[in-house]
Amino acid sequence: MSRREKYVAGFGAAAIVVLIGLIVTGAILSRRIEPYIRQQAEQYLRTRFQADVRIASLHVRLPKLSPLHMLFTRGRGTIATVEGRGIVMRMWGRPDAPPLFAIQKFVTGIDVGALGDSAQHVSVVTVTGLEINIPPKGERPDMSTGKSAADAGDREESRTSVVIDRLDLKKTTLVILPRDRTKTPLRFEIHDLKLQSAGPGVAMKYDAMLTNPRPPGKIHSFGSFGPWRSGEPGDTPLNGDYTFDHADLGVFSVVAGILQSTGRFQGELDSITARGEAYVPDFRLKRSGNPVPLRTKFEVLIDGTNGNVVLKPIVATLGSTHFTTSGAVFKHDGDTHRSIKLNVNMPHGRMPDVLRLAMKGEPFMEGDLNLKTMLEVPNLDGKVKDKLRLDGRFDITEAHFLKSTIQDQIDNLSRRGQGQPKNEGIDEVISRMRGSFKLDDSVITFRELTFGVDGADVQLAGSYDLNADVLDFHGSLKLDAKVSQTVTGWKHWALKPVDRFLSKNGAGTYVKIQVVGNSKAPKFGRDRETAPDPKGTPSRLRSAL
């Protein structure tokens, strides 16, 4: 072999040795990257969220032929795919508490050459199966310094050197833990969430899509989230706008209709104030089935620590009737179920709107309604009608019955009450009605119920059992005219002798009456138990009354 051949052969052998060395060295470096990335990830999470961190598995995959490329370029531009599973972060010193974060899987890409940089950027992290548990305020001890957890969280926020530019989260669950561990936590299921970073210590922009479980419907929300308060996670700021479309109210036992809502909310994770509008074009009670448009403007305060909802005065329009309501959905200590308590004020309601909602068929009355009532449902489980409580007053003015048979009877009562039974000019009489009522245990009790037209007034008190369909009302009928003036012909003269028995209490005619039976066949007549017939009252008078 010539000298030249020996030189070429030696150079080739040296090159092969170097190449093999480079490959071996690159492979060794590749294997060492994985534990280094795991160490850096655990340190970042531990520092950023002040939590004990456990990563069940973490794997790093480098592009093909990357060992040589990493050595020649010092890793710059070499993107390693990092996949982690089973990440759990728990509060320091609280191994008994639910984990702050539990992640089924995350995937990201890391520039290997930037691992040693003082400030590191990660372009995208995709997270699947994230559960966030927000503990009650004050349950975040700072084990290292003894200072408040909130202060410690703020310090660590400013010290983090890793910036994640974008987070894509799938199947995320946010859980607000109550202070009382016997209570059910408040859960929010989010199936698609994107977070965009604006830099360390700054709120992230988000865009979220979720399906509301009850009533079912799609919610789209966008706004800002953070910065994360690791000392007090519940204090993490949250605000944004939302749209809630095609929410089917039919899943509830009492109402139906398709709800649309838009609004804005702001506050913190454990305390949110929301303002917006809701519209149900076909709102209806299932019992009646008549659709009436319902539109509301609302402001509510949601306390995530206990699930209570405070309703500030809500302005609503039912058909063309305006009313306001305020109150709360709450649970007292010791209660097992949530309750509703509202105050409803309807100063200028329209009877057709209310009747169309409440009863089957077309409304039978026009008029103006003034209603004030307290509404309470002490237990939201079960049938609402068996638990609903009402306590209030109403006043109906300018009432006119739309069904001719009813209005004819009202007109006839007014003619007789005025002592003009044959005066056809007394027609289309306006009625008035008022009362105070209380509903409890499916029995509505009227402490006062009055009905009046020109010349006549009816005053009643009693109850109606909704389940048994039993009427039991007692009261009085007052007429301006004397009883003999309510009829003509021979009956007028026949009743003259009894005028003196029934002209009392400031009325021309005063008679005790009762309404009993049921709603399908009510029975009207003299109340013989509370007011025996005056001695000598003719039978023809008793039958007439």
Side-chain angles (χ1 to χ4, degrees), residues 443-466:
V443 176
I444 184 167
T445 302
F446 286 88
R447 299 179 288 265
E448 171 195 4
L449 180 61
T450 66
F451 173 80
V453 294
D454 290 344
D457 283 291
V458 177
Q459 296 183 349
L460 295 171
S463 63
Y464 172 52
D465 190 320
L466 298 174

Side-chain angles (χ1 to χ4, degrees), residues 496-504:
K496 275 282 189 180
V498 299
D499 282 346
R500 62 188 181 91
F501 293 106
L502 300 180
S503 296
K504 54 186 176 181

Side-chain angles (χ1 to χ4, degrees), residues 61-67 69:
R61 296 193 303 273
L62 293 170
K64 292 181 179 179
L65 302 178
S66 60
H69 178 78

Side-chain angles (χ1 to χ4, degrees), residues 30-80:
S30 298
R31 288 195 298 271
R32 289 182 177 179
I33 287 175
E34 188 169 294
Y36 178 78
I37 290 177
R38 172 191 283 268
Q39 178 188 11
Q40 292 298 305
E42 290 179 347
Q43 180 179 343
Y44 165 72
L45 294 174
R46 187 182 302 112
T47 303
R48 179 67 184 83
F49 297 105
Q50 285 192 288
D52 292 324
V53 180
R54 179 180 64 83
I55 301 177
S57 66
L58 188 141
H59 300 289
V60 178
R61 296 193 303 273
L62 293 170
K64 292 181 179 179
L65 302 178
S66 60
L68 289 176
H69 178 78
M70 283 193 301
L71 287 177
F72 287 125
T73 64
R74 298 183 179 181
R76 294 288 176 180
T78 299
I79 305 301

Side-chain angles (χ1 to χ4, degrees), residues 290-518:
N290 291 325
V292 183
L294 175 65
R295 188 182 298 275
T296 64
K297 292 184 178 181
F298 60 84
E299 179 178 350
V300 299
L301 174 63
I302 306 167
D303 188 338
T305 61
N306 54 27
N308 291 348
V309 178
V310 177
L311 309 177
K312 297 188 177 181
I314 295 174
V315 179
T317 302
L318 179 70
S320 57
T321 292
H322 305 289
F323 65 96
T324 61
T325 182
S326 60
V329 180
F330 63 94
K331 183 191 291 185
H332 289 305
D333 291 342
D335 291 350
T336 57
H337 301 285
R338 204 163 299 283
S339 303
I340 294 177
K341 190 169 184 178
L342 302 174
N343 291 309
V344 180
N345 184 20
M346 184 183 293
H348 303 291
R350 293 185 65 253
M351 286 301 299
D353 292 331
V354 177
L355 293 176
R356 187 173 287 110
L357 180 67
M359 60 179 293
K360 295 180 180 180
E362 289 299 313
F364 63 86
M365 179 192 294
E366 290 180 340
D368 298 327
L369 171 64
N370 182 355
L371 171 67
K372 289 185 179 181
T373 185
M374 180 277 294
L375 182 152
E376 183 177 2
V377 183
N379 181 346
L380 289 182
D381 291 348
K383 295 182 178 179
V384 173
K385 77 178 186 67
D386 295 332
K387 307 176 186 303
L388 180 64
R389 295 175 183 171
L390 297 172
D391 193 347
R393 297 186 61 85
F394 71 92
D395 191 347
I396 301 174
T397 57
E398 301 297 319
H400 177 260
F401 290 88
L402 301 175
K403 292 188 177 181
S404 59
T405 54
I406 300 176
Q407 186 62 41
D408 288 346
Q409 296 180 45
I410 299 300
D411 294 339
N412 188 46
L413 174 63
S414 182
R415 295 184 192 113
R416 292 178 182 275
Q418 296 180 67
Q420 305 177 56
K422 295 298 185 179
N423 186 356
E424 296 297 329
I426 301 176
D427 190 37
E428 299 297 324
V429 174
I430 299 300
S431 307
R432 56 189 178 275
M433 189 182 304
R434 68 176 184 273
S436 62
F437 59 91
K438 186 174 184 178
L439 172 65
D440 194 6
D441 197 21
S442 295
V443 176
I444 184 167
T445 302
F446 286 88
R447 299 179 288 265
E448 171 195 4
L449 180 61
T450 66
F451 173 80
V453 294
D454 290 344
D457 283 291
V458 177
Q459 296 183 349
L460 295 171
S463 63
Y464 172 52
D465 190 320
L466 298 174
N467 288 333
D469 191 19
V470 174
L471 295 164
D472 185 21
F473 289 90
H474 303 267
S476 63
L477 168 65
K478 292 183 179 182
L479 304 177
D480 292 347
K482 295 181 179 181
V483 68
S484 62
Q485 296 173 329
T486 64
V487 293
T488 60
W490 66 270
K491 293 181 180 180
H492 168 75
W493 300 105
L495 292 176
K496 275 282 189 180
V498 299
D499 282 346
R500 62 188 181 91
F501 293 106
L502 300 180
S503 296
K504 54 186 176 181
N505 295 333
T509 301
Y510 178 86
V511 182
K512 291 285 188 178
I513 62 172
Q514 67 178 11
V515 183
V516 295
N518 57 56

